[in-house]
Structures are given as C-alpha cells and as structure tokens.
Amino acid sequence: MPRLTLFKKILVITLLLSLLPLMASSLILFLNLETTSARLTSEISDTADIQASESLRMRAVQVAESMADFLRQRESDLVFLSRSQLDKATLLNFYDSRRGEIWYRSGSSAVTPETRELVPLYRSIAIIDKEGREKLVIRDGAIVPAAELRNVADPAGTEFLSEDYFNRVRSQPGKIYVSHLTGFHISKQDQLNGADEPEHALDGKLYRGVIRFAAALFDAHGSFNGMVVIALDHRHLMEFTQHIDPGHNFSTVFPSYKSGNYAFMFDDEGWIITHPKYWDIRGFDARGKLVPPYSETSTKADIENGRIPFNLDYAGFIHPNYPVVAELVRKRKAGFVDTTNVGGAKKIMAFAPILYDSGDYARHGVFGGITIGFQLDQFQDAARKGSRLINQLLGEHRTRSGVILLITSLLAALSAWGLSRGITRPLLQLTEGAHKLAGGDISSRVQVSSSDEVGELGRTFNLMADELEIRKNSLLATLDELQRSRVDILDERNFKTSILESISSAIITISPAGTLTSINGVGQQYLSGAVSLGMEYHEVFAAWPDVCARIEAVLLSKQGYGREPLNRQIDGESTYYDVGIFPIGTDAEMGLTVTLRNETEREHLREETVRLDRLASLGKLSAGIAHEVRNPLTGISLLLDDLHDKPGFNAEDKEMLSKALSEIERVERLISALLNYSSPVRTAFRDGDLTQILKDILLLMRRQAEKQGVELNVRYTDLPHFRFDPEKIRQALINILKNALEVLDSGGVITITTGCHDTTVTVTIHDNGPGIPQQDLPLIFEPYFTRKGAGTGLGLSITQRIIAEHHGTLSVESNGPSGTTFRITLPLDNRPF
C-alpha cells in the first residue's frame, strides 16, 4: 500500500468533506432519471409497435381486397368471352383491350431507368374443341400458326407439360375453372446472373407464369363442345406486392429483400406466388414436375442453386409462425406475427386473406394471402427519439452537476494547497517533477537549493531523469523504425490478399512437396470442405480426381502446364470448369499455382444462344442444308447424263438411265422435305489436300463446262496439307463454280488460281462474265437474295458461313465487263471453334 504524504492527507480530507454530500445527492438524482427514462422508452416502444402493426394489417387487408376484385374481374372477362362470337377479330380485340400497368426497371445493372407500361393482362387466349385440340390461340399478341397448335387433352402436350385444365373443365362443364400459378421455376443463378442481391439483378431471367381461367362451351343441344381458356400474366400479380415499401418511401419499383421491408403473396396451398426472390415462387422443372418446397430435408446443392420454392406450410424450421399464418389465412383471418426470413431479418409480418371461392379455391374460400413485412428495429423510431430527448436532458443535468462539482473541487484543492504549501513545499517540488517525468516531460528537472537529504534526493532524481531521457530517445527511434517496417509489410500483405479475394476464380498454391500453402475465398467455396493449410493436395482435391491426377503428373514430369476444360457431374448435372496449372519459379521450384474458374453459366448461356439461334433460323438453315445436299446428287446426275450420251447403249439401257435421272430428281425433292427437320453438321477439321479437292471438283464440272463452251484454266501452286473440313470446302467451291457456269451460258473462261503465303492459302476463282451490278454487291451473301429466275439464293450465304467456320475470309470483286473474282483465304493453323 503506498504511503500517504502529508500534502495528500490534507487534500483528501478537505475534498471528502466538501464533495461527498454533493456526489451523494447527484447520484440519487441520476438513478431516478435513468429509471424514468427506461420506463418512458418502453411505453413509447410498445405503443409504436401496436400502431405500426395495425397499420400494416389494414394495408394488407386493402391489398387483399383489391386482389380479390381483380380476380373477379378476370372471371367476368372469361364469362363475357365465352358468350361472345369466338372469331379472330373478336379475340384480338379482347386481347388488346384488356391491359394493366406494369412498373419495372429497364436497362441493365449499370443503368436502371424506371418504366411504366400498359401491357396485356393475358399472355394467351385459346379456343379448344371438345377433343382437346386447340382451334385458335392468341399468344403474346399474335395468332399461333396451325402447325404449332397443341392437343391439351394430354397434360404432357400443354405449355408447362403437366396441366390438366381440359379434363377438369370437361368433367365439370357447368363450372368455371381457375388454376393455381403455373410456370417454369427460376433458379437463384437464373435471376441474379452474377448480382449479389435481387434488387441489383437486372440482367437475369424473369418468372413467366400464368393462372388459367377456363369455361366450357356448349352446342345448340347443350352438349359439351369445347372450352375457352384465358391465361392471366403473372406480372400483373406481382404488381400487387412488388411495389409495397412499408418504410418511409411507401412505394418502390423493386423492394430490398435484405432489409425485410417487402410484401409477398401466397396461395391457398401455402406456395409463394409473388416475391422479390423469383426462386421462392412455385414452379415446375423442365420435365413438368413441381419443384419440391424448401424444407429441412432440402439438399445443399438445391439450396446453393436456388431450387427451393417457398411453401409456408413447410417453413416452420425457419420460423414457427409461417405455417401458423398459412392456416389462419385458410380460416379467413387477418393479423400480424413476428417472423424471421431466410436472410435472417427479424420483422413484423401482417397478413390478410384474399377471399375468392371459384375453381380450385372453393375448398377454403380463399385464393391465398397477402403478407407485408417490416423490419423490427424500424418500429422503434419513436421510442428511440423519446429516449434520445430524455438522454439529452439527462446529459445537460450531468453537465451542470459536473461543472458545480468541478468548481467545488477546485476551491477545495486550492484551499488544501494553500494550507499545505508552507509545510510541504520542498517535497511538493520534487513530487511535481516526478509527475512531469511520469507524464512524458523527460526534460523536466528539479531545482536543488539545499544540501540536506532532500537536496540529495533532488540530485539523484535529476540523474535518473537524464538516464531516462537517453533511453527513451533510443527506444523511440527503434520503435519508429519497427513501425515503418510493419506498415510496409502489412500494406504488401493486404494488397496481395485484396487482389486474391477480389478474383472470381479459385487461386490455390501447392508447395513442391505437394502441400497446400494458400487458398482464396473462392477456392474455399469450390472445394466446400474442411480445407486447411499444410494438407496434402490429394486431400484438398479428394472430390476432384481429374485435377488431382493432373497435379501429380505435373509435379513428376515438370510438364503439362496451362489451362484445360473440366466437366464435372454434380447431382446428375454437368458443371464446367476451366482448370489452370502454372509453375511458381523455374521448373516449379517454388511450387504450383492451381486456378479453378466456373464456366457453367457461360456454357449454359452459349448452349441457350445456340438453341435460340437454331429455332429462329430454322427456315434459313434447313433451306441451306437442302441446297448443299443436292450438290452430290447433281454430280451423280451429271455422270449419269454423261453415260446416257455415250454410244454403246441400246434404247432400253438409255431408257433405264433416263429413269434413274428422274428418280434422282425425285430423291432431291424428298431430301428437301426431310431436311426441313434436320440440323447443320458440325465442322470436322482434319488434315487434307486442297489441291486434290480442286481436281475432283473440276473433273466433276468439266463435262458441263464443255457443253456450255466454257474453258477451265487452272494455275496450281504447291500447297501444304493443313486442317480443314474437306466436305464443306468442297461445297463452298462447287457453289462458286456453279454460279460462274450459270452466268457463262454462252461460253467464256473460268480461271482458278491457288497460292500459299506464310500463314494462309488462297483460292481465286475468276470468270469473264457480265459481272455483278454494284448495287447488288452488298446483298449477294444475304440468305434468299437472287437475281436468277430460279434458285433459292442460299449458295453464297452458305459458302460465306463455311469459310467463317474455318476462320477464313471470302471477298468478291466485280468490275462490269471484266467479270467477277471470288477470293477465299484460309489459315494454315486452323482450329475448330
């Protein structure tokens, strides 16, 4: 225990006598104010909670009533249409006159303007006969061609592969049928498309579902004669909940799911049918099967991929009040409860039933429910304001009391100081010097004016201060140097870490001994296991045997660096990766860097683009294929025609050859019809001899040229063998030569020249025909463009596509009377796309 000096004893006693009563009274007052503040804050919070919850409930009831009126209006539309004259003009007028406003975000994730647009209420209107065949369908504002009409008596033939509305209406012809929401499920990746939250996802897919209203049609005898079906566009359901913002903004073009301030709609079976997260909405997979709801048994892969539509009856494991809300709505009750969403936001959720009892909804008498959620902490704004006011007043009181206490303390300290100054002055000087030294003022020294023990103590104190100053300066210099080194090291480490963590690929480093030395966050996600530094690469890539084998081969051979694609099968689905292995240092003396980049989304987008392009270009591609398949048949026809003209055949043989030629013509017509449903052949690159291809083609075309009086001049250059598709290049050359022969019907000269350069080969075909008009030159490669009396206009379009597939170029020059020159350039180091 430290020894109290005389000065301290006098000072402490004086301060206690003066400050103790004041401090006691202030403490009692502070405690009373704190108790009052807590009570007022609690009462304000409770009142605000009740008022806000009731306000949300009333708004939910209002939206539910509007939704019920909307459904009844759609039912009235169905009745009106079923009693109208069902012709094209009536249906088109009905489709165009029923519209509703859609408020949505247009543009992209970089620029997000808001758009309000009146769009049709119905995605489609269909008239179906009594056998289930569609007679007349309007879809997206256009009449569906007869070839695309379906037989909906079989659910597998419906739009979403499992709808049974035809059989339901036929079994109860006197009742109106109203379906549940039907549409293909949108996964998390489909909606987000690389965005972090739904409100930022403008480049992803939209949910395209419908609710079908159907009514039976009857003939003059009252017998069932088919039905009329209208498909309500799901976007108009979204308009009832998507723009609700229970916060200060009241409405929004798209709500924030993370905040918890949003609304959603669910049906009488508990399925969510409108929600900011499209992957929470009920939907079917590509086979027409309903995607199972999110539950405790959902797989990790389904959760990560967002294949988890939300059903309140199965969501008790997230919060027990979700099934309770679904049951109360089925009992036609409104109210509010506390919940927590999947994102972890705690909120008040008001709910109200949508009273509607048509079709499948007659069982409970409700279409479903409207819920509006509001984050709990925002309910407490009023309470927090009151608490802040009370705390402000309490703080002002503390300040005033502190000032009084401070003044009193100063007066007491001055009195004590004056009392003890004459007694303890020498010791006080030494004490002040020690305090300055302890406070960091190492230049402070004590003035020594006596030679007694106190003077000796002062001199000893000054010696100690000198030593401390020397050591402090030395220590500060060392600390400054250490601090600079530490800052440099931390900056470098943070810079590298920031770069690695910002990369969307997995970056993993392996030591020369095969142990894990570093891994970024994306790598932890891809490997999705208990990965720790120092693990053997066999353990790290236990679930990636192909990568493990490649690392082992690279470590042994010091070869095989670079990138390679990898296709993994996960839960029956293909996942595509780009795997790169690169050395660290010369010959991997410091280890390996392994990179993993997920290319699945890009591959899916590519496949989808190819599929859409094929569908959109079916007519053009099919005509092109048929045109090219006829080329070999044309060659056979020419050879048979040549045989027919040779002497030595009797009349019966010539008649058989004529029949063979007519049969070939019939085969050409059959092939044209069959190839309407075929797809183009992929380019097959292999080493080939372009000169030999030209010789074969000229042998085939020479007889026709002689008939027309056309001279074929060929100037060959020694060409190396290189990779190309012989059949497609043959097609391209035949197309150009046939065009040249057709324009030289009165004779002329065709000159074929080959050439070889450093990295390319060229084939030039020149004819001295009338040339191509200048205004036609930009159009000759367009599909179906032709100036001939016959022909499809596809030859040059197909030729250009073939050359493009070979990474080459096709150019044309035409100068009037001097003829036309086509020049084909192909690369020697050709690789397929």
Side-chain angles (χ1 to χ4, degrees):
M1 182 176 179
R3 181 177 61 87
L4 292 177
T5 64
L6 181 60
F7 176 80
K8 289 181 180 179
K9 290 178 181 179
I10 298 173
L11 183 60
V12 169
I13 292 172
T14 306
L15 291 176
L16 287 176
L17 290 175
S18 59
L19 298 180
L20 192 58
L22 181 61
M23 293 179 64
S25 61
S26 298
L27 180 60
I28 293 172
L29 180 59
F30 291 160
L31 291 176
N32 290 335
L33 287 176
E34 290 290 347
T35 303
T36 303
S37 172
R39 187 184 305 120
L40 287 174
T41 301
S42 176
E43 291 179 359
I44 294 172
S45 176
D46 293 342
T47 302
D49 287 352
I50 293 173
Q51 291 178 348
S53 299
E54 186 61 26
S55 175
L56 287 181
R57 187 192 68 82
M58 293 175 63
R59 191 171 181 188
V61 170
Q62 181 183 11
V63 175
E65 291 174 350
S66 300
M67 181 63 197
D69 291 341
F70 180 77
L71 292 171
R72 295 187 188 98
Q73 290 171 10
R74 306 291 70 79
E75 190 174 321
S76 298
D77 283 349
L78 178 67
V79 173
F80 169 79
L81 192 60
S82 66
R83 296 174 181 174
S84 302
Q85 182 176 354
L86 301 177
D87 55 23
K88 291 183 180 179
T90 301
L91 293 183
L92 286 171
N93 181 64
F94 177 86
Y95 175 88
D96 191 60
S97 64
R98 268 61 175 180
R99 291 177 176 269
E101 185 179 79
I102 299 295
W103 182 19
Y104 61 93
R105 302 170 299 172
S106 55
S108 65
S109 57
V111 181
T112 57
E114 298 178 8
T115 301
R116 295 179 184 266
E117 180 182 1
L118 286 174
V119 301
L121 290 172
Y122 304 107
R123 271 190 60 196
S124 65
I125 303 174
I127 307 301
I128 302 170
D129 65 17
K130 62 183 179 180
E131 302 299 329
R133 292 184 295 271
E134 293 177 335
K135 296 169 57 180
L136 177 61
V137 176
I138 298 175
R139 184 176 293 116
D140 297 327
I143 301 294
V144 176
E148 298 179 13
L149 296 178
R150 307 183 179 98
N151 186 338
V152 299
D154 180 7
T158 59
E159 181 179 1
F160 299 107
L161 310 179
S162 59
E163 300 177 86
D164 62 347
Y165 53 86
F166 177 79
N167 297 323
R168 295 284 299 279
V169 174
R170 184 171 58 180
S171 64
Q172 296 179 332
K175 296 183 179 181
I176 289 178
Y177 168 79
V178 185
S179 75
H180 285 84
L181 177 66
T182 308
F184 290 120
H185 183 257
I186 297 296
S187 70
K188 181 178 181 180
Q189 291 85 351
D190 290 338
Q191 181 185 3
L192 295 182
N193 193 24
D196 56 347
E197 294 292 339
E199 58 264 33
H200 302 146
L202 273 75
D203 302 321
K205 290 185 178 179
L206 299 176
Y207 183 89
R208 299 301 303 273
V210 298
I211 293 180
R212 299 194 191 275
F213 293 75
L217 300 175
F218 302 93
D219 59 16
H221 304 290
S223 299
F224 175 75
N225 196 36
M227 65 182 67
V228 58
V229 182
I230 56 178
L232 176 63
D233 194 330
H234 174 259
R235 291 180 294 174
H236 294 284
L237 297 185
M238 292 288 288
E239 287 297 299
F240 282 90
T241 60
Q242 180 169 289
H243 308 309
I244 294 176
D245 183 356
H248 299 297
N249 297 327
F250 193 76
S251 65
T252 179
V253 65
F254 198 92
S256 169
Y257 170 75
K258 192 173 183 180
S259 72
N261 298 337
Y262 61 89
F264 66 84
M265 187 188 307
F266 63 93
D267 64 16
D268 63 333
E269 295 179 346
W271 290 101
I272 285 183
I273 57 176
T274 70
H275 198 279
K277 293 194 309 180
Y278 298 157
W279 64 88
D280 278 358
I281 298 176
R282 158 194 168 108
F284 294 81
D285 61 17
R287 298 172 296 176
K289 294 186 178 296
L290 190 64
V291 178
Y294 184 28
S295 67
E296 291 179 287
T297 61
S298 296
T299 65
K300 184 176 181 180
D302 284 341
I303 295 173
E304 291 178 350
N305 294 328
R307 285 178 48 84
I308 47 172
F310 205 88
N311 188 309
L312 270 63
D313 290 327
Y314 292 83
F317 72 100
I318 297 174
H319 197 283
N321 278 337
Y322 281 120
V324 172
V325 169
E327 187 59 31
L328 288 174
V329 165
R330 284 192 281 265
K331 293 179 180 179
R332 305 186 180 188
K333 295 182 180 180
F336 49 84
V337 295
D338 295 337
T339 61
T340 301
N341 66 8
V342 178
K346 294 183 178 180
K347 60 181 182 177
I348 292 290
M349 188 173 76
F351 59 90
I354 303 170
L355 302 179
Y356 183 72
D357 58 1
S358 294
D360 287 349
Y361 304 99
R363 180 174 54 173
H364 300 292
V366 296
F367 177 80
I370 297 290
T371 73
I372 303 177
F374 193 50
Q375 198 165 341
L376 272 175
D377 59 355
Q378 296 185 19
F379 271 67
Q380 311 298 329
D381 283 346
R384 285 194 289 268
K385 290 179 181 178
S387 179
R388 284 195 296 269
L389 178 59
I390 294 171
N391 289 333
Q392 180 182 354
L393 295 175
L394 186 59
E396 293 175 357
H397 175 75
R398 291 194 190 99
T399 301
R400 287 193 296 270
S401 299
V403 171
I404 294 172
L405 187 61
L406 178 61
I407 294 173
T408 305
S409 300
L410 289 175
L411 291 175
L414 289 173
S415 300
W417 179 80
L419 180 63
S420 60
R421 182 174 181 274
I423 303 172
T424 60
R425 183 176 182 181
L427 295 177
L428 183 59
Q429 290 180 350
L430 185 59
T431 302
E432 289 177 351
H435 287 167
K436 291 181 180 179
L437 188 62
D441 186 9
I442 60 176
S443 63
S444 177
R445 298 294 184 269
V446 177
Q447 292 183 357
V448 179
S449 59
S450 63
S451 58
D452 55 11
E453 290 79 3
V454 176
E456 185 62 27
L457 180 61
R459 284 188 289 272
T460 303
F461 176 83
N462 289 337
L463 290 174
M464 180 185 68
D466 293 337
E467 184 66 21
L468 284 176
E469 184 174 8
I470 294 172
R471 294 191 179 186
K472 180 181 179 181
N473 291 335
S474 176
L475 182 60
L476 287 175
T478 304
L479 287 175
D480 288 341
E481 185 65 28
L482 290 175
Q483 183 66 23
R484 286 193 294 271
S485 300
R486 180 177 179 273
V487 169
D488 293 340
I489 293 171
L490 288 176
D491 288 344
E492 183 177 358
R493 186 192 67 182
N494 293 337
F495 176 76
K496 293 179 179 178
T497 302
S498 176
I499 291 177
L500 289 176
E501 292 301 327
S502 65
I503 295 174
S504 60
S505 299
I507 308 294
I508 303 160
T509 58
I510 306 294
S511 71
T515 59
L516 180 66
T517 56
S518 70
I519 181 170
N520 65 350
V522 178
Q524 294 278 4
Q525 295 175 9
Y526 281 4
L527 298 179
S528 62
V531 178
S532 60
L533 300 182
M535 290 179 61
E536 292 287 337
Y537 71 88
H538 296 93
E539 299 174 85
V540 175
F541 295 98
W544 301 67
D546 293 335
V547 178
C548 191
R550 189 176 167 200
I551 292 174
E552 182 176 4
V554 170
L555 287 174
L556 291 175
S557 64
K558 305 299 182 183
Q559 295 178 351
Y561 306 116
R563 300 184 180 276
E564 291 185 4
L566 175 64
N567 183 358
R568 297 188 68 208
Q569 295 293 324
I570 302 176
D571 295 333
E573 296 183 359
S574 294
T575 304
Y576 301 90
Y577 290 91
D578 179 82
V579 181
I581 298 180
F582 306 95
I584 304 176
T586 305
D587 291 333
E589 62 183 359
M590 298 174 65
L592 298 175
T593 298
V594 181
T595 64
L596 302 174
R597 185 171 65 238
N598 193 327
E599 299 286 331
T600 304
E601 187 68 21
R602 182 180 297 177
E603 183 67 18
H604 288 173
L605 288 175
R606 186 192 66 77
E607 293 174 356
E608 181 66 11
T609 301
V610 171
R611 187 184 71 82
L612 292 175
D613 288 344
R614 286 180 176 174
L615 290 175
S617 306
L618 181 60
K620 182 176 73 175
L621 291 175
S622 299
I625 293 170
H627 182 85
E628 295 308 320
V629 170
R630 290 194 188 98
N631 287 336
L633 292 178
T634 301
I636 296 172
S637 298
L638 292 174
L639 293 174
L640 290 176
D641 189 40
D642 192 15
L643 287 173
H644 181 272
D645 294 340
K646 285 186 177 182
F649 292 99
N650 56 35
E652 183 178 353
D653 292 338
K654 289 185 177 182
E655 182 180 359
M656 292 180 65
L657 289 173
S658 297
K659 288 182 178 181
L661 290 169
S662 64
E663 287 300 310
I664 288 174
E665 292 177 358
R666 188 173 68 86
V667 169
E668 288 189 43
R669 292 192 297 272
L670 289 174
I671 289 174
S672 298
L674 290 173
L675 288 179
N676 287 331
Y677 299 93
S678 64
S679 57
V681 178
R682 294 178 64 89
T683 304
F685 288 88
R686 60 179 182 270
D687 287 341
D689 185 352
L690 184 58
T691 302
Q692 186 60 46
I693 296 293
L694 280 169
K695 291 178 179 179
D696 293 343
I697 293 172
L698 292 175
L699 177 63
L700 185 67
M701 308 293 290
R702 190 171 297 281
R703 179 63 177 169
Q704 181 67 25
E706 291 174 354
K707 279 187 175 183
Q708 296 180 206
V710 175
E711 180 183 352
L712 297 177
N713 291 335
V714 184
R715 302 170 185 171
Y716 290 119
T717 301
D718 289 336
L719 299 179
H721 286 208
F722 65 100
R723 289 174 58 80
F724 63 93
D725 187 326
E727 295 302 322
K728 289 200 171 187
I729 293 299
R730 183 193 303 271
Q731 292 175 7
L733 294 171
I734 289 176
N735 286 344
I736 297 175
L737 286 170
K738 284 184 63 180
N739 285 346
L741 284 173
E742 288 176 358
V743 301
L744 298 175
D745 52 354
S746 300
V749 178
I750 297 176
T751 304
I752 300 99
T753 306
T754 63
C756 180
H757 304 281
D758 292 339
T759 59
T760 60
V761 297
T762 59
V763 179
T764 303
I765 301 174
H766 173 77
D767 67 73
N768 63 347
I772 301 173
Q774 291 297 315
Q775 66 271 21
D776 289 349
L777 280 176
L779 305 175
I780 61 173
F781 295 115
E782 292 293 325
Y784 305 113
F785 176 79
T786 180
R787 293 296 187 189
K788 306 172 188 176
T792 64
L794 291 170
L796 289 178
S797 176
I798 294 172
T799 300
Q800 186 186 49
R801 188 197 67 206
I802 291 173
I803 301 305
E805 289 175 352
H806 285 73
H807 310 277
T809 60
L810 173 61
S811 61
V812 59
E813 297 177 3
S814 184
N815 297 314
S818 63
T820 302
T821 302
F822 282 88
R823 181 172 291 102
I824 298 173
T825 303
L826 298 173
L828 288 173
D829 59 344
N830 220 335
R831 293 182 176 84
F833 284 116

